[in-house]
């Protein structure tokens, strides 16, 4: 770590699935809470209600989950930057699926209000796609991504619609597709050596070709958004490479809806190529720091999801009095 410039931080943001009922309550009295109120004005949705009083079932709906999670991450980022100045100039940012939009704001590539508009439009497009083509997802543990892709290809050859959607760590990969095909592929995965398969309670096959209609309807909002150069690169889900604001983000975000999230490779890019000192997970839960521990164990980790997890403001050292010479 360079003592003159501070830690080389990678700010990482979780996506849908991290949300919890009442997750905004601990932050409601913080100065950054005004962002939740502003998001309500920009989106025409009651974001404050989502963060404070929505129950788990309502919050699980994809458009609600996405908007609430994104805005809370922005509130927490605002508070974190008050006590950790290095978070204002990170080395790199990245986000898992929905979290990529928080990463783009954190890197200065898009503004907060544009982020709200994008997330609201994305959530609505995905909700409609889920209604037209219902699906589900499942976490597969203990099987390599390559072996799981073989299982998915086998099921697809037999007419099933299932794909590998998230490559999260060497030990964790996610299936996505139609429920029957995901079930069949899960059984094949266990036969190949998977230690556990856990269903994810979602109603859509995210990051698969079944989200193609959402990508089409989302293009207009992407085209209307101003993407700036920013002050830090963002590692994209679709290729695990660092990109600036001028590096085709509208296309990357459109492709993200139907492409796998290459999270393990993204962590390696930040740790091994960009040499970050610390992963700082900003948002509810601690999923991403857990995945980083498995993929890049040498990099330190910090989770900030509640006010009590904010690092303490360093106390200034007392000045040394000048000795007079008699």
């Amino acid at each position: 770590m360079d003592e003159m410039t501070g830690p080389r931080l990678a700010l990482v943001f979780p996506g849908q699935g991290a949300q919890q009922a009442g997750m905004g309550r601990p932050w409601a009295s913080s100065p950054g809470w005004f962002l939740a109120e502003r998001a309500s004005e920009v989106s025409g949705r009651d974001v404050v209600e989502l963060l404070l009083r929505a129950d788990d079932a309502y919050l699980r709906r994809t458009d609600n989950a996405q908007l609430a999670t994104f805005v809370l991450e922005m509130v927490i980022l605002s508070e974190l930057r008050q006590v950790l100045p290095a978070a204002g100039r990170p080395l790199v940012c990245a986000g898992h699926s929905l979290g990529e939009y928080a990463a783009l704001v954190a890197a200065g590539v898009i503004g907060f209000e544009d982020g709200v508009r994008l997330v609201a439009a994305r959530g609505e497009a995905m909700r409609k796609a889920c209604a037209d083509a219902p699906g589900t997802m499942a976490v597969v543990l203990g099987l390599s991504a390559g072996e799981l892709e073989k299982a998915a290809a086998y099921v697809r050859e037999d007419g099933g619609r299932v794909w590998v959607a998230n490559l999260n760590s060497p030990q964790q990969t996610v299936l996505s597709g139609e429920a029957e095909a995901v079930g069949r592929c899960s059984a094949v995965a266990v036969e190949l050596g998977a230690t556990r398969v856990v269903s994810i309670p979602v109603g859509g096959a995210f990051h698969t070709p079944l989200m193609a209609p959402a990508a089409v309807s989302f293009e207009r909002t992407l085209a209307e958004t101003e993407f700036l150069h920013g002050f830090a690169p963002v590692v994209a889900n679709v290729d695990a490479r660092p990109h600036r604001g001028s590096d085709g983000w509208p296309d990357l975000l459109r492709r993200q809806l139907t492409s796998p999230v290459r999270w393990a490779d993204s962590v390696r890019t930040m740790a091994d190529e960009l040499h970050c000192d610390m992963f700082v997970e900003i948002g509810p839960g601690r999923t991403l720091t857990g995945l980083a521990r498995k993929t890049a164990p040498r990099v330190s980790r910090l989770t900030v999801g509640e006010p009590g997890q904010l690092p303490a403001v360093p106390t200034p050292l007392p000045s040394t009095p000048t000795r007079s010479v008699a």
Side-chain angles (χ1 to χ4, degrees):
M1 182 186 302
D2 189 333
E3 295 181 357
M4 298 299 294
T5 60
R8 296 163 61 86
L9 300 183
L11 303 185
V12 297
F13 299 86
Q16 183 177 345
Q19 74 277 356
Q20 304 168 16
M23 62 184 176
R25 291 173 193 159
W27 300 97
S29 61
S30 66
W33 187 251
F34 80 94
L35 292 171
E37 297 166 350
R38 181 61 186 142
S40 296
E41 298 172 1
V42 173
S43 65
R45 300 285 312 281
D46 193 342
V47 179
V48 171
E49 177 74 15
L50 289 175
L51 288 171
L52 298 182
R53 290 174 286 276
D55 62 20
D56 284 319
Y58 190 63
L59 202 57
R60 193 178 299 125
R61 201 177 80 181
T62 187
D63 53 335
N64 296 334
Q66 293 190 42
L67 189 56
T69 302
F70 167 79
V71 173
L72 182 64
E73 290 171 355
M74 295 293 93
V75 171
I76 298 174
L77 177 64
S78 174
E79 294 300 304
L80 178 63
R81 284 177 165 170
Q82 298 303 309
V83 298
L84 185 64
R89 302 294 293 188
L91 172 72
V92 62
C93 298
H96 193 288
S97 190
L98 161 73
E100 193 157 79
Y101 293 81
L104 289 166
V105 176
V109 176
I110 58 175
F112 168 73
E113 294 186 4
D114 277 337
V116 171
R117 282 187 280 266
L118 284 168
V119 169
R122 179 183 189 266
E124 179 62 16
M126 292 174 69
R127 186 186 68 80
K128 291 179 179 178
C130 291
D132 293 338
T136 192
M137 303 177 77
V139 178
V140 178
L141 303 174
L143 192 68
S144 71
E147 286 296 300
L148 189 59
E149 180 51 55
K150 290 179 183 177
Y154 173 78
V155 175
R156 287 197 301 271
E157 288 174 2
D158 194 35
R161 304 180 79 186
V162 60
W163 297 266
V164 171
N166 301 341
L167 296 87
N168 286 337
S169 80
Q171 299 83 26
Q172 185 189 116
T173 312
V174 176
L175 288 173
S176 184
E178 294 178 341
E180 185 272 340
V182 170
R184 273 199 286 153
C185 191
S186 297
V188 174
V190 171
E191 292 176 1
L192 291 175
T195 57
R196 191 179 178 198
V197 179
V198 182
S199 177
I200 303 176
V202 295
F206 304 139
H207 301 291
T208 75
L210 297 183
M211 286 291 110
V216 172
S217 63
F218 188 43
E219 283 182 332
R220 168 183 266 183
T221 307
L222 287 169
E224 295 171 346
T225 302
E226 181 181 14
F227 289 84
L228 308 172
H229 182 68
F231 48 78
V234 176
V235 177
N237 286 181
V238 299
D239 61 6
R241 304 306 308 156
H243 295 267
R244 291 283 183 171
S246 56
D247 287 349
W249 271 107
D251 182 60
L252 291 167
L253 294 173
R254 179 185 56 79
R255 289 165 54 201
Q256 188 224 62
L257 288 171
T258 57
S259 302
V261 174
R262 296 179 56 188
W263 188 252
D265 287 340
S266 297
V267 169
R268 294 186 188 100
T269 294
M270 293 183 279
D272 300 336
E273 294 186 32
L274 301 179
H275 308 293
C276 68
D277 298 314
M278 177 184 286
F279 291 109
V280 182
E281 181 172 5
I282 299 170
R286 53 179 68 241
T287 298
L288 300 186
T289 46
L291 294 174
R293 183 174 64 249
K294 297 174 182 178
T295 306
R298 67 174 180 78
V299 180
S300 59
R301 298 166 298 278
L302 173 68
T303 300
V304 184
E306 300 177 359
Q309 294 173 324
L310 288 169
V313 181
T315 303
L317 295 174
S319 58
T320 303
T322 304
R323 294 186 178 182
S324 59
V325 178

